[in-house]
Amino acid sequence: MIQLTNRQARQFLLLKHGLLGEYKFSGKQGVLDFARQANCIQYDPIDVCGKNAELVLQSRIKGFTKGMLAELLYEDRRLVDYPDKNLSIIPVEDWPYFERYRQAARQHAERYPEMEALTAEVRTHIQNHGALSSKDIKLDGDFSWQSVIHWSGGNNSSRSVLEQMFSTGELIIHHKNGTRKYYDIATKYIKSNLLNASEPLEDELEHHKWRVLRRIGSVGLLWNRASDAWLNIWGLKAASRNEVFRQLLHEARIVAVTVEQMKDTLYCLSEDLPLIEAVLQNQEQNLRCELIAPLDNFIWDRKLINELFDFDYTWEIYTPAIKRKFGYYVLPLLYGESFIGRVEIIAERKSGTLVVKNIWYENDVEQTPQLQTALNSCFQKFALFNGCGEISPVYK
């Protein structure tokens, strides 16, 4: 059992994510390295000042550009879109471990016999014309479809058939144009040894252990209790989760961590013990100011963040406007070891202007010259990330 102070636990998480001190990840290789550490990066199509996955990466990767992620996904094919924690971006080598989800999607197709002829139309269209989106093909059908592996569904036959074929792994996302997804045949882009691999962990308990390890590694510290960090791990009820944690502890693949004034035990990966040791040495770290994505791995468990950082964050995008405390698309603001507030920020791309609409500081934040300098640097970097040449109001 490892004992940490609250500050040491915060430092561990921030260092694990490369959000404290010098940048841990750099350039395109850094994007791939972080994606492999995180195991999955949640995707969301809304683009107010960058899509969620891009926002996750811009806070950690020195010199990050949106093109780096697009290249790794759609040129190098080192990463791939597929549901994990909802629709996500995962390393392509993890593809076989989701075969049980694709098999479930194939079985799910039996509920929609009218899709069989329509999928044949899609195959022919792609063979003749290449990658396509739902607007490129008109499929006639009168049925309401719902994905078995993620949130997608509806009455648009073309979209439903493409999404169903994506769910089974027959199609992958070839590229995206804004929010629109273009699909192509998976065999063209994923190596056969991965694409055709059988389920590596057929036993459900072993699969759960693999998934839980990935989520702990993705966040850094997690507890054995209900959490949004476990989203979309099928069958992971309290009893099975308890057994997973018991076995992972027995196998020394995770380590129990107690934090002062916290009732619940936390857990980290055994491979992160050297980072724990580094934190215990109490080395000073350079302070950075970063804007954090609303669905960032770091804040997947909002209750944990509230307990460790005393920061209560709700993404209000789905909250009715009249009930919002802050705004439609507001990002947490991290400075050094603390969340110091939140920012509503909009990239107006036609004018090339980054609009800092509002900043709400936490009550105990002292707006020092040092903080202002760090904040200015953060906004300048964020403007560059969004391709904006101006910032309004002006931060220098």
Side-chain angles (χ1 to χ4, degrees):
M1 182 80 74
I2 295 172
Q3 295 181 329
L4 297 179
T5 65
N6 182 281
R7 184 186 181 195
Q8 288 168 339
R10 296 198 313 267
Q11 288 177 329
F12 169 78
L13 278 175
L14 292 166
L15 289 170
K16 167 82 173 176
H17 281 272
L19 290 168
L20 181 64
E22 299 300 324
Y23 283 94
K24 180 180 176 181
F25 306 98
S26 179
K28 185 175 168 182
Q29 182 61 45
V31 175
L32 184 59
D33 291 343
F34 175 73
R36 285 172 170 163
Q37 173 183 293
N39 302 301
C40 82
I41 303 172
Q42 201 165 342
Y43 173 78
D44 187 87
I46 296 169
D47 190 353
V48 174
C49 52
K51 298 183 181 74
N52 183 76
E54 297 166 342
L55 292 170
V56 169
L57 294 166
Q58 64 80 33
S59 64
R60 295 162 168 82
I61 314 297
K62 186 176 182 179
F64 174 74
T65 64
K66 298 174 184 179
M68 292 176 183
L69 178 59
E71 286 177 15
L72 286 165
L73 278 166
Y74 307 126
E75 294 181 24
D76 305 338
R77 303 288 170 180
R78 308 292 295 277
L79 303 174
V80 64
D81 299 281
Y82 200 73
D84 185 344
K85 184 182 179 288
N86 299 327
L87 187 56
S88 299
I89 293 167
I90 64 173
V92 71
E93 58 264 28
D94 289 347
W95 179 269
Y97 291 88
F98 294 88
E99 174 57 25
R100 65 182 60 223
Y101 292 82
R102 292 187 288 275
Q103 182 59 37
R106 295 179 195 116
Q107 294 173 356
H108 184 63
E110 296 172 5
R111 301 184 183 183
Y112 305 93
E114 56 268 71
M115 276 194 172
E116 187 173 352
L118 301 181
T119 55
E121 283 190 49
V122 170
R123 294 185 194 110
T124 300
H125 192 283
I126 291 177
Q127 183 178 357
N128 293 334
H129 303 286
L132 81 165
S133 73
S134 58
K135 73 172 185 178
D136 298 321
I137 185 170
K138 175 63 176 175
L139 299 175
D140 294 325
D142 184 18
F143 55 88
S144 180
W145 172 83
Q146 179 64 48
S147 173
V148 72
I149 65 171
H150 67 108
W151 48 263
S152 185
N155 298 309
N156 183 315
S157 299
S158 298
R159 181 170 177 263
S160 295
V161 172
L162 290 172
E163 289 276 2
Q164 172 63 23
M165 295 174 75
F166 168 74
S167 297
T168 64
E170 181 174 355
L171 300 182
I172 64 168
I173 296 175
H174 178 269
H175 69 281
K176 301 189 192 89
N177 185 0
T179 61
R180 187 170 295 278
K181 299 186 287 286
Y182 288 77
Y183 299 89
D184 205 346
I185 303 297
T187 54
K188 297 181 183 179
Y189 306 101
I190 298 180
K191 293 179 180 179
S192 59
N193 64 314
L194 293 175
L195 189 68
N196 301 322
S198 58
E199 172 68 52
L201 301 170
E202 292 187 4
D203 180 76
E204 184 176 55
L205 177 60
E206 290 302 314
H207 179 75
H208 280 162
K209 287 162 64 176
W210 183 78
R211 299 294 298 280
V212 167
L213 276 174
R214 291 173 90 249
R215 296 293 174 88
I216 294 174
S218 194
V219 177
L221 286 171
L222 275 175
W223 40 29
N224 178 14
R225 54 182 270 190
S227 170
D228 282 351
W230 312 128
L231 280 177
N232 209 34
I233 303 180
W234 292 358
L236 190 68
K237 307 298 183 184
S240 56
R241 193 180 67 241
N242 290 340
E243 180 61 16
V244 165
F245 272 82
R246 189 192 69 79
Q247 292 200 19
L248 291 176
L249 277 168
H250 179 73
E251 296 165 6
R253 299 168 79 181
I254 61 174
V255 178
V257 178
T258 61
V259 179
E260 61 176 349
Q261 298 180 346
M262 282 189 66
K263 179 181 68 174
D264 293 279
T265 301
L266 302 179
Y267 300 87
C268 73
L269 299 182
S270 297
E271 64 194 57
D272 284 333
L273 283 175
L275 185 55
I276 294 278
E277 292 298 324
V279 167
L280 292 175
Q281 293 175 14
N282 198 30
Q283 298 175 351
E284 287 297 320
Q285 302 286 346
N286 293 333
L287 304 184
R288 280 173 30 209
C289 188
E290 299 288 357
L291 290 160
I292 302 301
L295 300 174
D296 198 292
N297 306 55
F298 177 44
I299 60 171
W300 276 353
D301 193 313
R302 306 290 169 80
K303 292 180 181 178
L304 178 61
I305 290 299
N306 198 359
E307 285 206 33
L308 283 176
F309 290 84
D310 192 26
F311 183 72
D312 185 14
Y313 174 70
T314 299
W315 193 31
E316 296 182 309
I317 193 167
Y318 300 115
T319 303
I322 195 170
K323 295 183 179 181
R324 289 178 190 141
K325 291 183 179 180
F326 300 103
Y328 170 74
Y329 204 92
V330 172
L331 306 181
L333 182 61
L334 183 73
Y335 178 54
E337 300 174 13
S338 303
F339 285 100
I340 61 167
R342 57 206 85 206
V343 181
E344 186 173 17
I345 196 163
I346 300 168
E348 293 187 348
R349 296 183 176 89
K350 286 186 177 180
S351 64
T353 303
L354 188 77
V355 178
V356 183
K357 191 172 180 181
N358 211 335
I359 304 176
W360 297 269
Y361 291 103
E362 295 293 277
N363 292 331
D364 58 348
V365 173
E366 183 181 356
Q367 297 180 44
T368 63
Q370 183 184 22
L371 169 57
Q372 193 61 49
T373 298
L375 190 62
N376 295 344
S377 177
C378 174
F379 288 153
Q380 292 287 347
K381 180 170 75 78
F382 200 69
L384 182 64
F385 155 72
N386 275 291
C388 294
E390 296 182 7
I391 302 175
S392 175
V394 178
Y395 287 82
K396 296 183 179 179

